[in-house]
């Protein structure tokens, strides 16, 4: 049994939350150890090259976007960026549709050209008057009415969450914008780009710029507890697991990814469908809202990485129930789970020497820029507290 090392911070999780706090704290002179049970950096944002050389996102597509100059400035210390317009379509009724819903979708729906005026009038006649939408069904029907909601949202959401949109908080479907103009981009944020050399390279640079940090991969929290004595714990795993599920397990949704690789001759054969040489499908991501298709979306990341390779890789995403041993990809935003989380949060609030942060530590459906912001704020607070 090796001797116990004494450190300032033990940080569980080498994703955005863990590595950002480690970078900030080590640069303020604190001794930090970051551990992760996985064998790589980056948490769910990890990327790597597959056998054909495509830079894939093994835990699902990660489209970086933000409106925060503070976050761009901070992350730009570790990476350059490659601008990407994330273009996504929906495939139903045998064809591709512009998505998120906008004037182009309306024209496709009518089967003829139209304009913003007619589209606004149509919406005014079709949307359901609801002042303050209380769930994911209400948030969509209050903007576009029943027909478009049923075509693009209802079944997709049932498939993704195994819950009806009525059972999910408004923020879930409310993430998707509805537009009067012809903007086909999936996201609305002012900054939309991928790290030029990928997320993992960015995280490695973050580690390289964290003086004295020790990163131990393939290491569980229970092992690390035997090896280190620490002043403060930063835990970025699931909050219910941290408390041994004492109030019962929080619900999560998991995913299974099926990867398929295609070589140049097969891609040439698909050119009519893909509309582009060297690609399998015409767009970065195609959503499949219909319940009789078992996956929710197909992503061809080469549209975003712009790699000049005679092959491509597509990934189909199949939503799955979560059970121990599977990845808890999504917290499930319902009123019930929020109430259960609040009980765990009350426990956490009584532990001044433990910070439970990140998507799993706060059980929130947060994007990468939001968890980066949360980690920066937490690190500032801790630096102030422990520097005194
Ligand atoms: P994580 O990345 O989950 O990292 C937590 C780490 O803690 C994990 O590596 C885990 O192995 C480790 N860990 C947990 N428990 C233990 C333990 N007991 N011992 C040791 N290690 C432990 N965000 C966007 O901005 N844009 C997107 O397009 C986007 N797409 C997404 C698609 C999918 C399918 C998913 C699931 C998420 C997506 N996100 C996206 C969200 C993004 O993944 C998160 O915001 C971000 O990765 C959260 O970082 P984190 O460090 O808080 O958590
Ligand atoms: N959604 C939908 N139809 C779509 C895309 C999204 O109904 O074509 C709903 C679905 O409930 C999904 C949510 O909107 O979970 C958020 O979608 P997003 O694409 O942001 O999901 P994520 O990338 O976070 O999985």
């Amino acid at each position: 049994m090796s001797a116990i090392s004494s450190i300032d911070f033990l940080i569980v999780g080498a994703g955005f939350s863990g590595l950002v706090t480690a970078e900030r704290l080590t640069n303020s002179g604190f001794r930090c150890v970051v551990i992760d049970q996985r064998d790589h950096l980056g948490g769910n944002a990890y990327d790597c090259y597959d056998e054909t050389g495509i830079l894939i996102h093994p835990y699902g597509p990660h489209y970086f976007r933000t409106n925060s100059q503070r976050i761009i400035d901070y992350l730009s210390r570790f990476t350059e960026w490659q601008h990407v317009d994330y273009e996504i379509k929906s495939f139903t009724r045998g064809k591709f549709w512009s998505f998120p819903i906008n004037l182009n979708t309306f024209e496709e729906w009518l089967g003829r050209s139209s304009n913003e005026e007619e589209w606004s009038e149509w919406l005014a006649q079709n949307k359901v008057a609801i002042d303050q939408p209380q769930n994911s069904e209400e948030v969509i029907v209050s903007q576009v009415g029943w027909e478009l909601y049923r075509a693009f949202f209802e079944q997709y959401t049932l498939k993704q969450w195994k819950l009806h949109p009525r059972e999910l908080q408004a923020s879930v479907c409310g993430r998707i914008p509805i537009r009067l103009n012809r903007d086909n981009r999936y996201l609305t944020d002012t900054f939309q780009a991928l790290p030029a050399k990928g997320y993992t390279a960015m995280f490695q640079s973050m580690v390289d710029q964290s003086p004295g940090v020790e990163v131990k991969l393939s290491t569980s929290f229970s092992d690390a507890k035997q090896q280190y004595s620490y002043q403060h714990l930063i835990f970025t795993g699931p909050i219910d697991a941290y408390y041994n599920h004492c109030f019962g397990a929080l619900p999560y949704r998991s995913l299974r990814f099926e990867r398929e690789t295609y070589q140049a001759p097969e891609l040439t054969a698909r050119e009519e469908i893909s509309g582009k040489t060297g690609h399998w499908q015409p767009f970065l991501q195609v959503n499949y809202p219909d319940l009789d298709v078992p996956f929710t979306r197909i992503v061809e990341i080469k549209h975003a990485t712009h790699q000049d390779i005679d092959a491509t890789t597509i990934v189909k995403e199949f939503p799955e129930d979560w059970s121990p041993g599977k990845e808890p990809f999504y917290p499930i935003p319902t009123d019930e789970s929020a109430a259960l989380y609040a009980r765990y949060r009350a426990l956490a609030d009584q532990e001044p020497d433990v910070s439970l942060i990140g998507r799993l530590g706060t059980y929130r459906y947060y994007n990468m820029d939001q968890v980066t912001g949360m980690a920066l704020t937490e690190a500032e607070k801790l630096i102030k507290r422990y520097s005194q």
Side-chain angles (χ1 to χ4, degrees):
M1 188 77 187
S2 56
I4 291 185
S5 311
S6 179
I7 55 174
D8 298 316
F9 290 92
L10 177 65
I11 301 175
V12 179
F16 268 96
S17 306
L19 292 180
V20 169
T21 46
E23 188 278 329
R24 292 288 72 213
L25 290 164
T26 52
N27 277 292
S28 288
F30 295 104
R31 195 167 164 228
C32 298
V33 172
V34 181
I35 63 129
D36 201 301
Q37 61 203 5
R38 294 177 178 169
D39 63 0
H40 57 72
L41 297 178
N44 286 341
Y46 165 72
D47 55 15
C48 61
Y49 292 92
D50 72 2
E51 55 285 355
T52 59
I54 303 283
L55 184 56
I56 56 164
H57 296 180
Y59 300 104
H62 277 67
Y63 307 141
F64 188 82
R65 78 294 198 127
T66 189
N67 288 316
S68 162
Q69 193 57 44
R70 172 185 179 231
I71 304 296
I72 300 167
D73 290 345
Y74 174 71
L75 291 176
S76 299
R77 297 182 199 176
F78 314 106
T79 186
E80 294 184 349
W81 300 95
Q82 176 181 326
H83 171 80
V84 186
D85 281 328
Y86 304 114
E87 204 180 345
I88 292 173
K89 301 286 167 190
S90 185
F91 189 90
T92 178
R93 303 172 188 212
K95 59 184 235 182
F96 295 106
W97 299 81
S98 301
F99 197 82
I101 295 173
N102 65 54
L103 175 53
N104 293 323
T105 325
F106 181 56
E107 289 187 339
E108 291 152 13
W109 192 254
L110 295 177
R112 62 168 171 82
S113 61
S114 180
N115 53 45
E116 278 193 28
E117 205 185 352
E118 187 187 11
W119 176 214
S120 303
E121 273 169 29
W122 190 92
L123 286 175
Q125 277 167 20
N126 284 274
K127 67 186 183 188
V128 180
I130 301 171
D131 267 354
Q132 289 192 327
Q134 296 300 312
N135 58 52
S136 274
E137 177 172 276
E138 291 187 359
V139 82
I140 300 300
V141 297
S142 65
Q143 296 181 84
V144 299
W146 293 104
E147 276 184 81
L148 295 177
Y149 159 74
R150 291 204 173 107
F152 297 108
F153 287 91
E154 189 176 30
Q155 296 184 56
Y156 184 106
T157 299
L158 269 167
K159 184 159 55 170
Q160 166 71 14
W161 300 96
K162 219 199 218 177
L163 288 174
H164 193 274
R166 276 191 297 273
E167 297 171 272
L168 287 160
Q169 292 182 342
S171 56
V172 177
C173 288
R175 284 163 66 84
I176 308 294
I178 307 288
R179 300 195 179 107
L180 280 180
N181 60 20
R182 294 184 186 277
D183 185 354
N184 275 336
R185 294 171 312 152
Y186 201 56
L187 310 164
T188 311
D189 309 57
T190 49
F191 183 84
Q192 306 190 19
L194 289 174
K197 292 185 178 158
Y199 289 98
T200 306
M202 179 185 78
F203 288 123
Q204 188 55 55
S205 165
M206 216 176 255
V207 169
D208 294 344
Q209 293 183 56
S210 302
V213 74
E214 196 182 331
V215 179
K216 298 190 78 174
L217 300 174
S218 307
T219 302
S220 71
F221 178 42
S222 41
D223 287 347
K225 274 195 286 197
Q226 321 279 320
Q227 292 167 31
Y228 299 98
S229 75
Y230 43 89
Q231 209 173 352
H232 194 101
L233 173 70
I234 297 175
F235 189 87
T236 75
I239 188 168
D240 56 334
Y242 178 76
Y243 288 111
N244 295 318
H245 307 106
C246 63
F247 300 132
L250 280 164
Y252 297 92
R253 196 76 177 132
S254 198
L255 294 170
R256 178 169 57 82
F257 302 101
E258 274 185 17
R259 198 146 51 88
E260 295 168 17
T261 286
Y262 293 91
Q263 304 297 332
E266 296 155 311
L267 294 177
T268 310
R270 275 192 72 88
E271 256 170 43
E272 221 170 285
I273 300 167
S274 70
K276 278 189 179 176
T277 44
H279 288 82
W280 186 87
Q281 64 184 20
F283 309 100
L284 169 64
Q285 180 177 312
V286 180
N287 292 352
Y288 289 81
D290 298 334
L291 270 175
D292 55 5
V293 179
F295 45 85
T296 48
R297 51 193 184 189
I298 301 182
V299 173
E300 186 178 8
I301 201 71
K302 193 178 162 187
H303 283 283
T305 59
H306 302 302
Q307 289 167 280
D308 186 13
I309 295 176
D310 275 350
T312 196
T313 296
I314 62 158
V315 180
K316 293 180 179 159
E317 268 179 51
F318 297 80
E320 283 197 332
D321 292 340
W322 177 81
S323 56
K326 287 189 187 169
E327 292 294 346
F329 283 122
Y330 292 94
I332 302 185
T334 62
D335 292 344
E336 240 176 28
S337 65
L340 182 53
Y341 166 71
R343 297 182 70 193
Y344 283 113
R345 181 47 52 184
L347 283 186
D349 289 345
Q350 288 162 29
E351 292 199 81
D353 301 336
V354 180
S355 304
L356 281 143
I357 61 165
R359 206 186 212 210
L360 298 169
T362 59
Y363 195 72
R364 287 288 292 274
Y365 190 5
Y366 276 140
N367 293 322
M368 295 177 281
D369 60 327
Q370 295 170 306
V371 293
T372 302
M374 185 195 301
L376 287 174
T377 303
E378 187 66 19
E380 269 167 34
K381 198 179 91 189
L382 294 171
I383 290 165
K384 220 185 240 171
R385 172 174 163 195
Y386 288 104
S387 297
Q388 284 163 4

